[in-house]
Amino acid sequence: MTGRFSDAARRAVYEAIHRRRDLREGYTGEPLAHDTLARLLLAAHHAASVGFMQPWNFVLIRGAELREALWKAVDKERRSAAVIFEGEQAERFPAIKIEAIREASLVICVTVDPTRRGPHVLGRSSDEDTDLYSTACAVQNLWLAARAEGLGMGWVTFYRKPDVRRLLELPPHINPIGLICLGPVAAFPDQPVLEQLGWGNRIPLGDLVYYERWGHAEPEPDGPWKGFPEAVRGAAFRSEGEP
Amino acid sequence: MTGRFSDAARRAVYEAIHRRRDLREGYTGEPLAHDTLARLLLAAHHAASVGFMQPWNFVLIRGAELREALWKAVDKERRSAAVIFEGEQAERFPAIKIEAIREASLVICVTVDPTRRGPHVLGRSSDEDTDLYSTACAVQNLWLAARAEGLGMGWVTFYRKPDVRRLLELPPHINPIGLICLGPVAAFPDQPVLEQLGWGNRIPLGDLVYYERWGHAEPEPDGPWKGFPEAVRGAAFRSEGEP
């Protein structure tokens, strides 16, 4: 398979992308088979990384006591964050769930080591944040592979990093960018959970596209982008069986 | 398709993940069909984002003059960065190509707007970098969808942000995290380009996994992770037709 995938294979990739959800509850807790989890981590490890830096580590967590301590750290931060929101958002806030930390099959703390591969990393001299981008790509790979395996995943960022460093004995320079909850779930909702909760709506794609320069929301009438805004408005993911 | 994908569909997702490459040359320059590009952008737009923030924009660039100016900004940074590397790395450095900026079907500047959705974004109070993670996830979606479409992609971060802001008229608060080169390519190499060039090797996955706490490279002998290091060592992506 060197070029374009078959129609069925292309469809599968889009299915994973469009059906991926960030799930914070509904986990069954059933343990994952070792080979499934190893395959998922290998998928994460095959993300792009700037200068082939591979700055990630995966701390795999199943112990109940440690997870309870992580849950407390997350709950503390959730309650702290709740104070910040006001009005309508404050009323909706308590619906945001964090039970996955306790209930998922496992929690993976994904970390970034900014010192990986020494002081000078190709492409990172221009943008120090590239270690973060690379690791986020690894998480997205993990997410899509998990979706294909029928496993739910949630990326929790509600914590103070010093709390997570203390609980997981991370060195001070190691940056925990997420507590990833992973495992079988009862169901995958059709919509993102925050959309269901009324926390926000998806922005129309066309509002996010500019032509040649920032703010140019309409292309030149007779240039190469002619007809593209219509293509953007018409773009939609249709699942198997839908018209 | 609510749970686990079929074997063939799962395989397609892993194919996209493992066959994705960061390509900096070999682009044919042939224009993309509008509907293909719209589908790719829609895939990017369906990435996870913290607090449903959707902080990304896509500046689509085809104009030759503008691309030449971007190429110059990238080349300047490439030459500047080359000064930093010493010894063996310095000798290999000139092989790093940036021609894709000129030769790909188009360049997409992917940006992050840290002000999107107002001052308080759910989950971002705890980690301000979550807008970067979200946008990197969008780029990874784009990359995997492009691979499934048989299109090459390169994520260039060799530039000074003020240069890109000036050329693309980005407001000062808008963060350009990548110049994405996209289009048909002659071929997809089996290995990452930097690995082929001898710039680095892939770290064995097992070296990146810890159990319950940082630095615990071996699990408890009779705990739930028993046998998992062996599963990690045995994990491998095998393409269609390989044993």
Side-chain angles (χ1 to χ4, degrees):
Chain A
M1 200 184 274
T2 57
R4 190 168 189 261
F5 286 18
S6 70
D7 284 356
R10 279 197 310 126
R11 163 156 226 109
V13 173
Y14 286 111
E15 290 270 350
I17 287 171
H18 288 276
R19 294 181 177 286
R20 183 204 51 75
R21 290 288 169 267
D22 190 334
L23 298 174
R24 307 302 176 92
E25 58 180 339
Y27 288 85
T28 68
E30 189 193 338
L32 296 192
H34 281 352
D35 62 338
T36 305
L37 180 57
R39 202 155 58 228
L40 294 178
L41 294 175
L42 194 69
H45 185 38
H46 279 251
S49 67
V50 66
F52 212 28
M53 186 184 183
Q54 308 163 71
W56 40 72
N57 282 91
F58 307 100
V59 184
L60 310 181
I61 301 155
R62 281 183 60 178
E65 209 173 309
L66 183 54
R67 288 170 66 168
E68 192 60 24
L70 287 171
W71 182 88
K72 278 186 185 150
V74 169
D75 183 56
K76 183 174 79 168
E77 180 63 9
R78 189 184 62 86
R79 286 181 290 123
S80 163
V83 177
I84 303 300
F85 290 92
E86 292 167 325
E88 204 185 328
Q89 287 195 313
E91 283 165 38
R92 286 192 177 123
F93 191 87
I96 309 301
K97 297 292 203 310
I98 58 168
E99 290 314 306
I101 295 281
R102 282 167 160 163
E103 295 171 359
S105 305
L106 79 157
V107 173
I108 306 175
C109 181
V110 175
T111 63
V112 178
D113 179 353
T115 68
R116 185 78 40 89
R117 288 181 62 83
H120 304 303
V121 172
L122 187 67
R124 192 163 174 249
S125 54
S126 318
D127 184 348
E128 275 229 318
D129 291 332
T130 47
D131 58 351
L132 306 178
Y133 310 159
S134 302
T135 309
C137 286
V139 176
Q140 185 72 3
N141 270 5
L142 180 64
W143 224 330
L144 296 173
R147 182 62 192 87
E149 301 278 1
L151 299 171
M153 190 177 126
W155 182 346
V156 173
T157 56
F158 268 126
Y159 50 81
R160 297 287 159 133
K161 294 187 180 188
D163 286 341
V164 168
R165 285 202 183 93
R166 177 176 50 81
L167 291 168
L168 302 183
E169 301 171 11
L170 306 182
H173 70 288
I174 296 294
N175 181 6
I177 70 157
L179 292 172
I180 304 298
C181 306
L182 186 66
V185 284
F188 290 90
D190 285 340
Q191 279 185 308
V193 173
L194 291 181
E195 201 172 4
Q196 286 185 320
L197 292 173
W199 191 265
N201 294 310
R202 197 175 300 276
I203 302 168
L205 175 59
D207 295 0
L208 300 169
V209 172
Y210 293 130
Y211 299 90
E212 306 294 332
R213 287 180 177 78
W214 184 267
H216 295 221
E218 291 295 330
E220 299 270 314
D222 293 313
W225 295 114
K226 186 181 172 180
F228 189 69
E230 291 74 16
V232 165
R233 276 195 291 275
F237 169 72
R238 281 183 193 83
S239 62
E240 198 94 26
E242 277 184 61
Chain B
M1 200 184 273
T2 58
R4 190 168 189 262
F5 285 18
S6 72
D7 285 355
R10 279 197 311 127
R11 163 156 227 108
V13 173
Y14 285 111
E15 291 271 348
I17 286 171
H18 288 276
R19 294 180 177 284
R20 183 205 51 75
R21 291 288 169 268
D22 191 333
L23 298 174
R24 306 302 175 92
E25 58 181 338
Y27 287 86
T28 69
E30 188 194 339
L32 296 192
H34 281 352
D35 63 337
T36 305
L37 180 57
R39 202 155 58 229
L40 294 178
L41 294 175
L42 194 70
H45 185 38
H46 279 250
S49 67
V50 66
F52 213 28
M53 186 185 184
Q54 310 163 70
W56 41 72
N57 281 91
F58 307 99
V59 184
L60 310 181
I61 302 156
R62 281 183 60 177
E65 209 173 310
L66 184 54
R67 288 170 65 168
E68 191 62 25
L70 287 170
W71 183 88
K72 278 186 185 150
V74 170
D75 182 56
K76 183 174 79 167
E77 180 62 9
R78 189 184 63 85
R79 287 182 289 123
S80 163
V83 177
I84 304 300
F85 290 93
E86 293 167 325
E88 203 185 329
Q89 286 195 314
E91 285 164 37
R92 287 194 175 123
F93 192 87
I96 308 301
K97 298 291 203 309
I98 59 168
E99 290 315 306
I101 295 282
R102 282 166 160 164
E103 294 172 358
S105 305
L106 80 157
V107 174
I108 306 174
C109 181
V110 175
T111 63
V112 178
D113 179 354
T115 68
R116 184 78 41 88
R117 287 182 62 84
H120 305 302
V121 173
L122 189 67
R124 192 162 173 247
S125 54
S126 318
D127 184 348
E128 275 229 320
D129 291 332
T130 47
D131 58 351
L132 305 179
Y133 312 158
S134 303
T135 309
C137 286
V139 176
Q140 186 73 4
N141 270 6
L142 180 63
W143 224 330
L144 296 173
R147 183 62 192 85
E149 300 278 1
L151 299 171
M153 189 177 126
W155 182 346
V156 173
T157 57
F158 268 126
Y159 50 80
R160 298 286 159 133
K161 294 188 180 187
D163 286 341
V164 168
R165 284 203 183 92
R166 177 177 49 81
L167 290 168
L168 301 183
E169 301 171 10
L170 307 183
H173 70 288
I174 295 296
N175 181 7
I177 70 157
L179 293 173
I180 304 298
C181 307
L182 185 67
V185 284
F188 290 90
D190 285 340
Q191 280 185 308
V193 174
L194 291 180
E195 200 172 4
Q196 286 184 319
L197 292 173
W199 191 265
N201 293 311
R202 196 176 300 277
I203 302 168
L205 175 59
D207 295 359
L208 300 169
V209 171
Y210 292 131
Y211 299 89
E212 305 294 332
R213 286 178 177 80
W214 184 267
H216 295 222
E218 292 295 330
E220 299 270 312
D222 293 313
W225 295 114
K226 185 181 173 180
F228 190 69
E230 292 74 16
V232 165
R233 276 195 290 275
F237 169 71
R238 283 182 192 84
S239 62
E240 198 95 25
E242 278 183 59

